Amino acid sequence: MAKLYWILFFLLSGILACDSPTPRVQQGEVVTIFSNALNATDRQLFTAFERSSGVKVNIIIDTGEQIIERLAQQQQDSVIADLILLEGITYFQKAKQVGLLDTLSQGSIVNAIPEHLRDRNLQWIGLGYSANAIAYLRDSVDTLQVRSYADLSNPEWRGKTGWGTQNKNIYLSQLASMLADQGAEAEQWISGLSANLLDSAHYRSPAHFSVTDSTAWLALTNTADYIKNLSEGKRFQSAGLLFSPPAIYLHLTGVGILDEAPHPAQARALLNYLFSRDIVTQYTRLHFLYPTRPDIDPPPSLRNLGLVNADSSSQSNIARYTEEAENLFNRYGW
C-alpha cells in the first residue's frame, strides 16, 4: 500500500506541475529577483512561495536599463540576481547578447506557453503582454479616418499627435515589430509620426500627453497604460481606443534565469511558481495584462475592450530588431 501511495503521489505531482504547491527546497536560502515589472504591492504574490518552500524572495526593483547594467557587472554588484522579471523584450535581447541568461529546461511550464511568446533558445518565456493600440479624442476624430498604426504617420495629423504612454520601451517594441513585419516601411512610419508630434518640446515628452485638454487628438498607447490611467482617473477620460488590423502588436513581460545564478534550484522553483494558474491570474490582473497561458482568461478590466487579435509573430524574432529600433528612435530625436 505504501508503495502504491508514492507511485500515485509522483504521478499526480507531474500532472499538476503547473498548479501544484511549490516543492520545498533548501531551507534558509534567499532567491533574488530583479524586475522593472513589479511594484511594492506585488510583495503579496510571493507569500505563498515563501511559506511553502521556506525560501525568502528578495525583490530588487529598478529600471530596465539599470538592471541590464547591473547584470553585466554582477561580480562587482553587492546583490547578485538569480532571476529577472522584465517588461520589454529589448532587455531580454540585451541580456542574451552578453550571455547572461541560462537555458530553461523543456517541461510542462515552458510547454504551456505558446512558442511565439518565448525565446527560440528558451532563455526567457513570456508571462503576460499588453496590446498596442491607438487612443483618439472622441469629439475630434472620425474613426473612419484612422484605421491602423500606419495612419498615425499621415500628414493630416501633423501637430495633432502625441505620446500615449510614458514608457518609451513600448514604442521600441512597436517599432521592432514593424521592422520585422514591414522592413524599410517602418522607418517611413516613424519619420512621419515624428513629424506629426505636437510642435512644443514640452509635449514631445510622454509625461505630458493628454487627450482631456485637447493637446493631442491621437496617440499610440497600449491596453495596460490605457486601463491603468482610466482606473486612476488621470487621462484618457475622453478617449476611445482603436485596434489596428489585421494583427495587434504586443508588448511582452517575461521571465528568465541568470546563467550564473547563485541559487539555481530556488530560481527554477520560483519560475515554476510564477507560471502557476493562480499567480499568472493575479499578476495579470494587477498589471492589466493578457496572460500568455492560453488556458487562463484575460482580466475583467480587459474584457470590455473587446476581442484582441494579437500578433502571432515570434517575439524572439522581433527582439532581434530592438537594437535597430533604438537607433531609429535616436535618429529621429525621440
Side-chain angles (χ1 to χ4, degrees):
M1 180 65 71
K3 183 177 181 181
L4 178 60
Y5 169 83
W6 285 110
I7 291 173
L8 290 172
F9 173 82
F10 286 116
L11 284 173
L12 286 171
S13 296
I15 293 170
L16 300 176
C18 287
D19 299 297
S20 60
T22 306
R24 298 189 74 83
V25 290
Q26 188 172 344
Q27 295 287 321
E29 294 286 4
V30 176
V31 60
T32 298
I33 180 169
F34 280 16
S35 181
N36 69 344
L38 292 169
N39 55 48
T41 60
D42 290 324
R43 176 75 247 178
Q44 60 181 313
L45 294 174
F46 299 92
T47 303
F49 175 83
E50 293 180 324
R51 186 184 303 120
S52 63
S53 70
V55 175
K56 177 178 173 54
V57 179
N58 180 31
I59 303 172
I60 305 294
I61 298 173
D62 211 333
T63 65
E65 290 80 6
Q66 288 297 316
I67 288 172
I68 296 302
E69 185 177 332
R70 292 180 69 170
L71 292 177
Q73 53 178 10
Q74 276 229 70
Q75 300 308 318
Q76 288 75 44
D77 203 324
S78 58
V79 180
I80 299 180
D82 296 286
L83 185 145
I84 51 176
L85 196 167
L86 298 176
E87 174 227 323
I89 56 174
T90 304
Y91 304 123
F92 285 104
Q93 181 66 9
K94 289 179 178 179
K96 276 191 66 174
Q97 287 175 333
V98 290
L100 293 173
L101 299 177
D102 196 5
T103 299
L104 304 174
S105 301
Q106 190 89 37
S108 56
I109 292 296
V110 172
N111 291 337
I113 308 304
E115 191 172 350
H116 70 285
L117 296 174
R118 64 192 195 212
D119 178 51
R120 63 181 51 167
N121 302 122
L122 297 184
Q123 293 193 317
W124 53 261
I125 51 176
L127 181 64
Y129 61 87
S130 54
N132 292 348
I134 301 167
Y136 68 97
L137 197 62
R138 288 193 179 98
D139 295 336
S140 303
V141 177
D142 184 342
T143 55
L144 294 177
Q145 296 174 279
V146 183
R147 303 297 298 273
S148 70
Y149 301 124
D151 292 331
L152 291 173
S153 66
N154 289 344
E156 65 182 293
W157 302 115
R158 188 148 298 175
K160 298 177 181 178
T161 305
W163 297 81
T165 173
Q166 297 181 44
N167 189 347
K168 177 184 176 182
N169 202 37
I170 290 172
Y171 291 96
L172 286 176
S173 65
Q174 168 77 16
L175 185 54
S177 296
M178 297 183 75
L179 284 165
D181 192 22
Q182 303 172 26
E185 292 181 19
E187 182 170 358
Q188 298 173 16
W189 176 79
I190 191 175
S191 174
L193 178 58
S194 183
N196 286 350
L197 287 174
L198 291 155
D199 292 333
S200 169
H202 175 72
Y203 289 114
R204 291 179 73 91
S205 166
H208 296 291
F209 169 75
S210 173
V211 292
T212 59
D213 59 8
S214 299
T215 57
W217 290 10
L218 290 170
L220 181 68
T221 184
N222 79 346
T223 48
D225 199 73
Y226 181 83
I227 294 296
K228 179 181 178 181
N229 282 285
L230 275 180
S231 66
E232 294 177 353
K234 288 182 178 179
R235 303 182 295 173
F236 301 140
Q237 296 299 322
S238 302
L241 204 64
L242 293 171
F243 292 109
S244 177
I248 301 160
Y249 294 135
L250 312 180
H251 185 60
L252 195 68
T253 293
V255 182
I257 294 176
L258 275 297
D259 186 45
E260 297 184 2
H263 311 101
Q266 290 82 351
R268 287 192 294 272
L270 182 55
L271 182 139
N272 290 345
Y273 172 83
L274 283 169
F275 282 87
S276 67
R277 174 181 293 275
D278 184 49
I279 298 305
V280 171
T281 300
Q282 288 187 56
Y283 181 82
T284 54
R285 182 171 294 186
L286 286 169
H287 292 270
F288 311 111
L289 299 177
Y290 296 92
T292 56
R293 276 186 57 163
D295 60 331
I296 298 177
D297 291 331
S301 59
L302 294 175
R303 294 174 201 162
N304 294 333
L305 299 181
L307 185 65
V308 171
N309 182 30
D311 182 28
S312 60
S313 301
S314 166
Q315 290 293 305
S316 181
N317 181 55
I318 291 170
R320 295 164 53 200
Y321 291 88
T322 54
E323 185 175 357
E324 185 179 349
E326 205 159 11
N327 290 337
L328 283 176
F329 269 107
N330 293 335
R331 184 181 307 172
Y332 288 97
W334 284 31

